[in-house]
Amino acid sequence: EVQLVESGGGLVKPGRSLRLSCTASGFTFDAYPMSWFRQAPGKGLEWVGFIRSEGFGGTTEYAASVKGRFTISRDDSRRIAYLQMNSLRTEDTAVYYCTRDYGDVEYWGQGILVTVSS
Amino acid sequence: SYDLTQPPSVSVSPGQTASITCSGHKLGNENGCWYQQRPGQSPVLLIYQNARRPSGIPERFSGSISGNTATLTISGTQAMDEADYYCQAWDSNTAVFGGGTKLTVL
């Protein structure tokens, strides 16, 4: 069974940094791209970015709203995908979801809340 | 930027057919998908490649596309189908979501 568990969320002040982790199980982690999505309170879904598998170069793509501030990485030996969030803004407050794949996403984590507030 | 437009809300009576549209000028050239999200839950993939259904998704959910408009159709709508529905497509390695449609089963 595919499982994705996010961790590392919480309350952080504007301008500070936070790193989310996504621990995966139930599939061959290094063969799949991994993505992050988010959903601000009461708002719709928003794509954050994804990282390709090492077999496809391990390269990344980001939404314009986070490019230059957020970085997605992966540790295939530990089966973990990361979302490093720097220079956080109040508008980054959201539930963040980790997913397997980047398109036609069947597997989502349960989501983790990040609140950016002074 | 590329936008996908959905109606904010759709209402349907139990047992009837609900249709949710998603319009975008590139939809005719790109595959799109649909997600269902119930309150407090993670999204669920309902339709991919415009009209294909993942295993485990009931047959009452179907997708179609005509020109630049994709449509999610729910036949024989049930109370449990009350949720938010999102269309999504890709534009040059960027994922784009519609604003979401709240389906109310009256």
Side-chain angles (χ1 to χ4, degrees):
Chain A
E1 178 192 7
V2 172
Q3 288 195 331
L4 300 166
V5 179
E6 301 95 341
S7 59
L11 175 63
V12 61
K13 288 180 167 51
R16 305 296 290 267
S17 299
L18 197 66
R19 188 179 77 164
L20 303 183
S21 299
C22 171
T23 302
S25 61
F27 65 98
T28 307
F29 182 79
D30 60 8
Y32 288 88
M34 298 295 293
S35 302
W36 290 91
F37 293 80
R38 68 183 181 182
Q39 187 169 34
K43 303 297 185 182
L45 295 171
E46 180 186 13
W47 171 70
V48 173
F50 71 86
I51 184 167
R52 298 175 177 86
S53 65
E54 287 301 325
F56 286 86
T59 52
T60 52
E61 305 288 346
Y62 299 97
S65 58
V66 306
K67 197 169 187 177
R69 300 188 299 124
F70 289 13
T71 302
I72 298 173
S73 61
R74 62 190 299 157
D75 184 337
D76 288 346
S77 65
R78 301 180 65 194
R79 305 172 63 85
I80 300 176
Y82 299 101
L83 177 63
Q84 176 69 43
M85 303 184 290
N86 299 333
S87 303
L88 281 161
R89 306 167 180 167
T90 55
E91 56 264 37
D92 295 319
T93 293
V95 172
Y96 284 74
Y97 295 98
C98 163
T99 75
R100 193 191 82 172
D101 299 301
Y102 58 83
D104 305 332
V105 176
E106 288 193 75
Y107 300 104
W108 296 69
Q110 82 284 358
I112 193 159
L113 178 62
V114 172
T115 303
V116 184
S117 174
S118 54
Chain B
S1 65
Y2 178 46
D3 293 326
L4 296 176
T5 302
Q6 299 180 233
S9 62
V10 168
S11 297
V12 64
S13 299
Q16 298 303 302
T17 297
S19 294
I20 300 172
T21 57
C22 173
S23 299
H25 70 276
K26 295 186 180 181
L27 274 180
N29 300 319
E30 298 286 340
N31 285 324
C33 65
W34 289 92
Y35 295 98
Q36 176 195 64
Q37 188 180 33
R38 296 190 175 100
Q41 296 187 18
S42 301
V44 173
L45 180 67
L46 290 179
I47 298 291
Y48 67 101
Q49 294 177 11
N50 295 324
R52 301 174 70 94
R53 202 172 42 249
S55 62
I57 300 300
E59 291 184 7
R60 65 178 184 276
F61 293 95
S62 63
S64 62
I65 188 157
S66 176
N68 294 327
T69 298
T71 301
L72 173 70
T73 301
I74 310 172
S75 305
T77 307
Q78 301 179 7
M80 66 185 297
D81 299 331
E82 188 161 284
D84 294 325
Y85 293 84
Y86 296 91
C87 61
Q88 187 252 305
W90 286 88
D91 177 30
S92 301
N93 286 327
T94 297
V96 180
F97 282 94
T101 298
K102 182 176 181 58
L103 178 69
T104 301
V105 183
L106 298 169

